[in-house]
């Protein structure tokens, strides 16, 4: 369709601007969605500066041929005078189940010239109503011991394909995990499907295009089931079967023939079941696989299944089936072995050089019955052996029994591990590095950002932050990926989310998680501390506040108003629940709270411990959530709520100051976190903020320029310092190399973020084995400061999604250069600065259809070779004291001060 325009526009010159990168609901061509009014987005491309859109037109059609004729039988938006190019809500005819819709868009540029039509894109609907499911829930008719991990069941059926297949779609879900095959070939490349959700309220199903997997005549389908989160070991103390004790399958294959016929292949009483080579598979404990028990060809039509058992109906609901809103978990990359050695205990140790999440794939040849054992660990102990005490009860061990004969390749299917090292025993012969590789798995999140600078240790810190995110965004954003926990702790996510968004596109993953938060939220508004919630614990400040902070952050970064609409009741419920706890006093001083989790105790016993009182912390977050709720109400046009919560916010601030601030401006507890929260949440009167910032700086100085903050205070610490005139001190903390600091772990060889500031001590000993993860992303929230302050890429809150942005790098410390790149919904934003001979040189890239305000020190500023005020694309220059603000449109700019 590219190059076509409607007849009435034939005499109008086409714009040199083109429309690219069409997406629907954050995906390029999503298959099987159930959003009845999907949102469409695109980007602009073209040479030159100040490229912008003044209007757009979208066509939606049931076939690409109609789009080629510039005709939309489903939707023709007409010309819409708007510069919006993200999150445009579909406004056409109602969408039908299982139907594919094609769409294309053109824009009018700033000179009112139309662009060529974009290339056509598409989305395809899933099953939109429970009645669309003709399949029946079934469970294998096999004897099982529910107290332990049982062999993974195999389910199969046969069916015929009679005619030329035009298309075939498999809609499938399970209680537990599933992996499907058609005619001996795996369906799709997703892992850990259907994913972990609040199963009682939301169970995902996946849709696959399986057209190419069908054969003329006889066909077969096979599905392997695994315990997963549904009934595997979860939490502590050997608990399992949390959501249920029966695995189940719901399978519906729709075959559309070229002659117009359609038929369904569905799960039902005609299916058969058996066990296979997976003797046990558990997320915590690993997999036990006996290759001698494989059933070659079991998912082929010719396989003889006479000895197989049957299946029985399962009483499970189809009412809460939902399509995924994220891209799912996949194998993302592979890491080769760095070295192979033998530990003092005689175990072969493979070092992959990187703490990661996934498993190993190993090539082995030996006799039938030989057993290979693979153990996983993050670090080595002081003697050089694999350290697994911090895994607690998680066995993290895979066992493989060889079938014998030719070389065999093994990797597990229904488990994952957090590790840098693998310990191997039972390997026949000598294990060479090329025989083993680490397979990295996590949620499929395109990389959207990068930060580098002149300080090698800070670059390693950024590396560690990114790998911490990779390891803990596995379907659910978890706290840790290795021990018997791996839960979606709410505070960890809310403090790290802004950093996560810079690093990768997490919109789908977090939207899914928020829907589970709302589902698991208590009827009175109380929010669990982990989501999904198998723990049954709720009511902790800064943890439950994820209900307000997370949707607001998605809105700000992605211009996602719908997430505010969907989560508004949840946000309101949480704030109202807190209000019910405080009553008219508005001081939250009841209940259990984690507080400033893992804050530092004083290193010198003569100093007082910097304890942040829970009452202060809780009330501060009460104010912050109320503030975000008020803003959300304003965005959604809920005027009465906005006024109500605005008034409540003012009262909470007054109560906070009365309760926790002395007449001399000293905060109760006098901790770093206390001052950070009061300043970051704007709880103090303007006249008292400078004094509070000075007290914060003094507290940092009293600890020899070290932080004492925990999970709650650390994410905001450097932001507060740089905001209130202590940029040098923020850089001092950033570059500090001794404990406690971000670079302490880097200096000790960390490749991910640690749970504790001293998970590993300088002498090689460990912190408590009860809670000591070497892959925890919470303290990685400093990445947000690297992007927003060091590199200076900041959104304008009044224009979410980086429609307008602020570029204000703040050089400092020992850095001589820094650069960052972020792929926003509009395109790439780049900021790169260098200090040379007393001059600041700044290169900025602003994507089309956006504007930016660039703040630089006052002085002679040139862009290219011209004074900034006379350079192309400069929309305005304003001097503000010792700074100057330069407004620009899209394009690349090179400034020199």
């Amino acid at each position: 369709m590219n190059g076509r325009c409607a007849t009435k526009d034939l005499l109008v010159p086409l714009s040199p601007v083109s429309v690219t990168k069409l997406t629907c609901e954050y995906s390029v061509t999503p298959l099987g969605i159930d959003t009845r009014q999907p949102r469409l987005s695109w980007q602009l491309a073209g040479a030159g500066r100040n490229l912008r859109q003044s209007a757009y037109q979208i066509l939606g059609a049931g076939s690409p041929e109609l789009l080629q004729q510039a005709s939309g039988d489903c939707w023709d938006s007409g010309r819409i005078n708007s510069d919006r190019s993200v999150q445009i809500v579909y406004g056409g005819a109602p969408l039908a189940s299982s139907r594919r819709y094609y769409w294309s868009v053109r824009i009018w540029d700033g000179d009112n010239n139309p662009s060529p039509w974009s290339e056509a894109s598409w989305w395809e609907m899933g099953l939109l109503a429970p009645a669309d499911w003709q399949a029946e829930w079934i469970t294998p008719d096999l004897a099982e011991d529910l107290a332990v991990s049982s062999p993974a069941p195999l389910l199969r059926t046969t069916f015929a394909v009679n005619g030329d297949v035009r298309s075939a779609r498999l809609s499938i879900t399970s209680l537990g995990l599933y992996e499907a095959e058609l005619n001996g070939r795996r369906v799709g490349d997703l892992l850990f499907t259907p994913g972990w959700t609040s199963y009682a309220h939301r169970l995902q199903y996946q849709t696959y295009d399986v057209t190419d997997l069908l054969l003329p005549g006889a066909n077969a389908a096979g599905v392997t089931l695994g315990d997963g989160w549904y009934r595997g070991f979860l939490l502590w103390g050997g608990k399992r079967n949390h959501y249920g004790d029966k695995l189940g399958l719901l399978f519906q294959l729709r075959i559309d023939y070229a002659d117009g016929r359609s038929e369904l292949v569905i799960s039902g009483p005609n299916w058969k079941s058996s066990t296979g080579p997976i003797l046990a598979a558990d997320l915590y404990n690993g997999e036990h696989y006996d290759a001698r028990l494989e059933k070659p060809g079991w998912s082929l039509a010719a396989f003889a299944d006479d000895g197989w058992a049957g299946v029985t109906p399962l009483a499970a609901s189809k009412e809460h089936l939902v399509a995924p809103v994220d891209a799912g978990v996949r194998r993302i990359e592979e890491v080769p072995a760095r070295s192979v050695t033998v530990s003092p205990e005689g175990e072969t140790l493979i070092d992959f050089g990187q703490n990661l999440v996934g498993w190993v794939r190993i090539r082995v040849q030996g006799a039938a019955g030989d057993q290979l054992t693979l153990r996983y660990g993050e670090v080595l102990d002081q003697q050089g052996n694999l350290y697994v005490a911090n895994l607690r009860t998680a066995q993290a061990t895979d066992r493989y029994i060889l079938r014998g004969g030719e070389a065999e390749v093994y990797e597990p299917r229904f488990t994952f591990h957090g590790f840098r090292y693998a310990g191997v025993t039972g390997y026949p012969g000598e294990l060479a590095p090329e025989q083993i590789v680490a397979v990295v798995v996590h949620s499929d999140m395109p990389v959207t950002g990068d930060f580098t600078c002149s300080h090698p240790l800070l670059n390693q810190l950024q590396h560690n932050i990114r790998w911490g995110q990779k390891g803990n965004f596995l379907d659910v954003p978890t706290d840790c990926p290795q021990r018997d926990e791996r839960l979606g702790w709410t505070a960890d996510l809310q403090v790290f989310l802004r950093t996560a968004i810079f690093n990768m596109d997490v919109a789908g993953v977090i939207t899914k998680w928020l829907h589970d938060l709302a589902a698991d939220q208590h009827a009175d508004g109380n929010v669990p501390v982990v989501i999904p919630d198998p723990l049954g614990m709720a009511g902790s400040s800064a943890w439950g506040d994820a209900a307000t902070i997370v949707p607001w952050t998605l809105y700000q970064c992605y211009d996602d108003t719908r997430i505010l609409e969907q989560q508004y009741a949840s946000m309101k419920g949480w704030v109202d629940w807190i209000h019910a706890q405080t009553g008219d006093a508005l001081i939250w001083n009841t209940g259990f709270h984690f507080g400033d989790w893992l804050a530092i105790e004083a290193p010198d016993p003569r100093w007082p411990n910097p304890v942040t009182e829970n009452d202060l912390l809780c009330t501060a977050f009460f104010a912050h959530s109320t503030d975000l709720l008020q803003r959300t109400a304003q965005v959604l046009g809920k005027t009465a709520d906005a006024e109500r919560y605005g008034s409540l916010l003012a009262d909470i601030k007054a109560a906070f100051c009365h309760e926790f601030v002395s007449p001399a401006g000293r905060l109760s507890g006098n901790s770093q976190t206390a001052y950070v929260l009061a300043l970051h949440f704007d709880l103090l009167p303007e006249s008292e903020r400078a004094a509070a910032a000075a007290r914060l700086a003094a507290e940092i100085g009293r600890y020899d320029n070290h932080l004492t903050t925990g999970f709650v205070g650390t994410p905001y610490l450097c932001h507060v310092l740089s905001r209130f005139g202590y940029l040098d001190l923020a850089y001092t903390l950033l570059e500090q190399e001794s404990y406690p600091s971000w670079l302490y772990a880097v200096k000790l060889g960390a490749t991910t973020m640690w749970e504790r500031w001293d998970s590993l001590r300088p002498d090689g000993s460990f912190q408590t084995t009860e809670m000591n993860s070497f892959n925890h992303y919470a303290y990685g929230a400093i990445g947000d400061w690297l992007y927003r302050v060091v590199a200076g890429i900041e959104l304008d809150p009044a224009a979410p999604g980086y429609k307008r942005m602020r570029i204000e790098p703040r050089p400092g410390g020992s850095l001589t250069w820094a650069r960052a790149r972020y792929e926003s919904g509009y395109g790439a934003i780049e900021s790169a600065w260098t200090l040379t001979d007393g001059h600041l040189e700044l290169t900025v890239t602003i994507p089309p259809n956006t504007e930016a305000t660039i703040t630089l020190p006052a002085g002679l500023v040139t862009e290219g070779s011209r004074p900034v005020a006379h350079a192309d694309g400069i929309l305005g220059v304003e001097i503000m004291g010792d700074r100057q603000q330069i407004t620009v449109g899209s394009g690349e700019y090179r400034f020199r001060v």
Side-chain angles (χ1 to χ4, degrees):
M1 185 170 182
N2 194 22
R4 292 182 179 268
C5 61
T7 304
K8 63 182 179 181
D9 294 321
L10 287 177
L11 300 180
V12 179
L14 285 179
S15 170
V17 178
S18 60
V19 181
T20 65
K21 297 186 178 180
L22 277 63
T23 59
C24 172
E25 290 297 316
Y26 295 108
S27 298
V28 176
T29 49
L31 179 68
I33 67 173
D34 61 5
T35 304
R36 294 175 184 269
Q37 287 186 287
R39 294 162 298 173
L40 310 176
S41 303
W42 58 87
Q43 294 181 11
L44 307 185
R49 293 179 173 177
N50 202 20
L51 303 180
R52 61 188 182 91
Q53 169 189 305
S54 60
Y56 67 83
Q57 181 182 6
I58 301 174
L59 295 179
S63 71
E65 291 76 19
L66 285 172
L67 287 186
Q68 285 291 334
Q69 302 166 21
S71 174
D73 63 331
C74 299
W75 185 31
D76 184 346
S77 71
R79 174 173 172 153
I80 305 295
N81 293 322
S82 169
D83 63 354
R84 286 186 61 85
S85 55
V86 301
Q87 309 285 15
I88 309 299
V89 177
Y90 170 80
L95 303 175
S97 289
S98 304
R99 184 177 176 187
R100 178 173 291 192
Y101 296 89
Y102 299 84
W103 69 287
S104 183
V105 61
R106 64 171 174 172
I107 64 97
W108 282 260
D109 63 19
D111 296 322
N112 202 33
N113 294 322
S115 74
W117 285 100
S118 71
E119 295 293 339
S121 188
W122 57 265
W123 75 85
E124 188 168 307
M125 304 305 294
L127 303 179
L128 302 181
D132 293 331
W133 288 91
Q134 301 301 306
E136 300 176 27
W137 278 105
I138 58 173
T139 188
D141 191 9
L142 301 170
E144 295 180 307
D145 182 350
L146 298 178
V148 298
S149 297
S150 298
L154 310 177
L155 294 89
R156 64 171 261 119
T157 193
T158 57
F159 59 96
V161 171
N162 300 308
D164 295 331
V165 175
R166 179 174 58 83
S167 68
R169 299 291 183 269
L170 172 61
S171 302
I172 180 174
T173 188
S174 61
L175 303 180
L177 305 178
Y178 74 81
E179 185 177 294
E181 300 178 20
L182 284 172
N183 299 314
R185 297 166 63 187
R186 193 183 194 280
V187 174
D189 60 354
L190 293 175
L191 305 171
F192 303 106
T193 47
W196 188 12
T197 54
S198 175
Y199 291 127
H201 306 97
R202 292 171 14 87
L203 176 63
Q204 295 184 137
Y205 69 92
Q206 283 74 33
T207 303
Y208 301 93
D209 182 348
V210 294
T211 309
D212 294 339
L213 298 184
L214 298 184
L215 302 172
N219 285 253
V223 180
T224 307
L225 299 180
D227 288 350
W229 299 281
Y230 186 78
R231 74 167 192 180
F233 287 97
L234 199 59
L235 303 174
W236 313 279
K239 298 176 183 177
R240 55 178 287 115
N241 307 311
H242 183 85
Y243 294 99
D245 58 15
K246 288 289 187 182
L247 299 181
L249 172 67
L250 191 66
F251 178 106
Q252 183 161 306
L253 171 63
R254 177 188 174 100
I255 305 172
D256 292 327
Y257 291 102
D259 60 9
R261 290 179 296 122
S262 295
E263 63 182 4
L264 296 178
V265 178
I266 60 175
S267 50
N270 60 313
W271 284 61
K272 293 188 175 182
S273 66
S274 181
T275 57
I278 301 178
L279 300 181
D282 184 78
L283 296 179
Y284 289 172
N285 296 329
E287 180 178 281
H288 188 184
Y289 189 100
D290 188 342
R292 298 171 302 177
L293 301 178
E294 291 176 342
K295 293 176 165 54
W298 72 276
S299 64
L300 296 176
F303 180 78
D305 59 9
D306 296 343
W308 283 42
V311 297
T312 58
L314 185 63
S317 175
K318 304 175 193 175
E319 297 295 323
H320 57 273
L321 298 178
V322 296
V325 295
D326 66 339
V329 179
R330 287 180 167 86
R331 296 171 176 84
I332 302 298
E333 58 190 297
E334 296 183 355
V335 176
R338 176 177 290 184
S339 67
V340 178
T341 58
V342 177
S343 75
E345 294 179 343
E347 188 175 38
T348 300
L349 286 179
I350 298 88
D351 178 6
F352 294 98
Q354 173 62 55
N355 198 10
L356 55 88
V357 171
W359 52 72
V360 301
R361 184 173 66 244
I362 189 168
R363 183 179 178 87
V364 60
Q365 187 170 10
D370 286 351
Q371 178 168 301
L372 187 66
T373 302
L374 301 160
R375 298 196 306 149
Y376 297 84
E378 297 181 290
V379 293
L380 303 180
D381 65 18
Q382 290 173 294
Q383 290 73 44
N385 297 306
L386 192 68
Y387 180 72
V388 296
N390 69 320
L391 305 184
R392 301 191 301 217
T393 64
Q395 296 177 15
T397 301
D398 296 330
R399 295 177 176 86
Y400 179 73
I401 300 176
L402 278 67
R403 75 177 71 89
E406 298 180 350
E408 305 169 42
V409 177
Y410 169 69
E411 60 179 308
R413 297 157 80 174
F414 292 136
T415 190
F416 65 88
H417 309 286
F419 66 101
R420 171 175 171 169
Y421 299 91
V424 181
T425 54
Y427 190 88
E430 184 175 347
L431 177 59
E434 58 270 19
Q435 301 297 322
I436 190 167
V437 65
V439 180
V440 179
V441 305
H442 57 74
S443 291
D444 190 352
M445 306 170 291
V447 172
T448 51
D450 189 37
F451 171 88
T452 54
C453 67
S454 58
H455 196 317
L457 295 182
L458 293 182
N459 292 335
Q460 182 64 41
L461 175 64
Q462 166 66 12
H463 170 98
N464 295 359
I465 293 169
R466 186 189 299 276
W467 275 90
Q469 181 172 344
K470 290 180 181 181
N472 282 292
F473 275 59
L474 196 154
D475 196 67
V476 167
T478 58
D479 61 324
C480 62
Q482 73 297 92
R483 66 188 181 214
D484 55 351
E485 190 166 350
R486 313 182 196 188
L487 303 175
W489 286 93
T490 47
D492 298 47
L493 178 63
Q494 65 94 348
V495 301
F496 182 70
L497 179 57
R498 193 68 182 269
T499 300
I501 289 172
F502 271 121
N503 287 333
M504 302 175 191
D505 182 354
V506 300
V509 175
I510 304 305
T511 297
K512 166 186 175 287
W513 185 83
L514 277 174
H515 291 168
D516 287 309
L517 185 151
D520 277 337
Q521 190 168 1
H522 298 182
D524 62 2
N526 198 356
V527 174
V529 296
V530 298
I531 299 295
D533 180 31
L535 187 59
M537 181 181 184
S540 179
S541 177
W543 273 248
D545 294 283
T548 57
I549 295 171
V550 173
W552 180 258
T553 303
L554 287 189
Y555 162 69
Q556 285 281 284
C557 295
Y558 296 117
D559 194 10
D560 191 339
T561 306
R562 180 171 288 174
I563 198 66
L564 296 182
E565 296 169 347
Q566 293 172 336
Q567 299 297 128
Y568 186 75
S570 168
M571 299 170 76
K572 187 173 181 292
W574 171 245
V575 171
D576 289 348
W577 181 83
I578 301 174
H579 196 183
Q581 311 312 302
T582 69
D584 294 339
L586 302 180
I587 300 298
W588 192 3
N589 54 13
T590 59
F592 169 82
H593 302 277
F594 290 100
D596 191 18
W597 188 245
L598 299 184
I600 298 297
E601 296 183 355
D604 189 322
R606 296 169 297 178
W607 297 349
N609 276 331
V611 176
T612 304
E613 299 175 7
N614 276 351
D615 299 6
L616 182 151
L617 185 149
C618 294
T619 306
F621 271 92
F622 179 24
H624 185 48
S625 279
T626 303
D627 185 17
L628 298 183
L629 179 59
Q630 175 207 19
R631 298 184 192 202
T632 299
Q634 291 172 338
V635 170
L636 299 180
K638 299 179 182 293
T639 306
D641 276 1
E643 292 176 355
R644 173 191 167 194
Y645 290 107
S647 177
L648 176 61
L649 174 61
D651 291 343
I652 299 170
K653 288 183 177 182
F656 179 91
C657 292
H658 179 267
E659 183 77 13
F660 301 114
V661 185
S662 75
R666 185 181 190 273
L667 278 166
S668 180
N670 206 46
S671 72
Q672 292 178 22
T673 292
Y675 290 105
V676 165
L677 296 182
L679 290 167
H680 193 69
F681 296 160
D682 293 330
L683 303 182
L684 305 179
E686 187 72 43
S687 60
E688 298 180 13
R689 295 176 185 178
R695 287 180 179 273
L696 170 61
E699 276 302 293
I700 294 171
R702 192 160 71 87
Y703 287 88
D704 194 25
N705 288 339
H706 284 76
L707 52 78
T708 61
T709 49
F711 274 31
V712 172
T714 300
Y716 312 126
L717 177 58
C718 285
H719 281 293
V720 167
L721 291 172
S722 56
R723 174 185 171 188
F724 287 97
Y726 295 91
L727 179 68
D728 290 345
L729 183 54
Y731 269 101
T732 297
L733 292 179
L734 176 67
E735 296 186 286
Q736 186 68 259
E737 296 181 8
S738 57
Y739 167 83
S741 68
W742 289 282
L743 296 187
Y744 168 79
V746 173
K747 291 280 287 186
L748 289 182
T751 61
T752 46
M753 303 303 298
W754 293 350
E755 179 176 20
R756 296 174 176 269
W757 292 116
D758 62 343
S759 287
L760 180 65
R761 298 189 176 106
D763 64 359
S765 63
F766 300 105
Q767 253 281 5
T768 172
T769 57
E770 293 302 311
M771 194 180 70
N772 193 21
S773 161
F774 291 89
N775 196 348
H776 239 77
Y777 54 59
Y779 286 138
I782 187 62
D784 176 47
W785 194 77
L786 298 178
Y787 279 100
R788 294 168 68 185
V789 178
V790 177
I793 298 176
E794 177 64 285
L795 57 80
D796 184 341
Y802 296 88
K803 178 64 173 172
R804 287 200 307 269
M805 67 211 73
R806 302 167 182 170
I807 306 295
E808 186 179 1
R810 306 283 300 278
S814 68
L815 300 189
T816 58
W817 62 267
R819 58 176 174 264
R821 181 182 186 277
Y822 174 63
E823 184 73 29
S824 74
Y826 293 93
I829 305 166
E830 297 184 45
S831 172
W833 59 263
T834 304
L835 295 176
T836 307
D837 299 328
H839 294 87
L840 172 65
E841 297 182 357
L842 174 66
T843 300
V844 175
T845 300
I846 306 301
N849 206 29
T850 66
E851 289 185 2
T853 299
I854 299 167
T855 302
L856 294 170
L860 177 61
V861 178
T862 58
E863 195 289 307
S865 60
R866 305 176 66 183
V868 66
H870 303 293
D872 294 337
I874 303 298
L875 304 180
V877 178
E878 182 179 2
I879 305 298
M880 304 180 66
D882 62 349
R883 315 291 287 173
Q884 54 186 313
Q885 291 187 345
I886 305 161
T887 303
V888 302
S890 67
E892 182 176 308
Y893 300 86
R894 298 178 182 275
F895 300 99
R896 180 179 174 87
V897 183

